Amino acid sequence: ALGQFPKDVNITAYALGWGLLNEDDAQTPDLLQNTELIVYNNSVCEKTFDITSAQMCAGKKEKTQLA
C-alpha cells in the first residue's frame, strides 16, 4: 500500500525527482531524474545516522558505506 515501506531488505528501490544534480547547480533539470538504490534494514543506518521508524534506509550500493 502507498506510504508503507518494504519489509524486505537488499531489494532494489528507485528514487525519482527534479532536484539539483550538484550542490553548485542553480537550476533543476528539465528531465525527470532517477537512480537505483538498495534498501537496507534500518538498524544498518542507525549506526551512522539519526533515523526514525518513519524513514527508510537506502543507498547506492557502490557509494554507500553503511555496513
Side-chain angles (χ1 to χ4, degrees):
L2 189 61
Q4 293 182 347
F5 297 129
K7 291 182 175 44
D8 296 330
V9 294
N10 296 322
I11 61 170
T12 302
Y14 299 90
L16 304 146
W18 281 277
L20 299 177
L21 300 178
N22 297 295
E23 290 182 38
D24 298 331
D25 288 348
Q27 191 170 9
T28 57
D30 293 330
L31 297 174
L32 180 66
Q33 304 295 304
N34 70 79
T35 189
E36 250 182 51
L37 302 167
I38 302 298
V39 176
Y40 296 99
N41 186 293
N42 273 13
S43 64
V44 173
C45 284
E46 288 169 351
K47 295 176 186 174
T48 307
F49 304 103
D50 184 24
I51 66 168
T52 70
S53 61
Q55 296 172 307
M56 183 173 70
C57 179
K60 302 238 351 139
K61 188 174 186 178
E62 66 275 4
K63 293 186 180 182
T64 304
Q65 298 177 351
L66 297 174

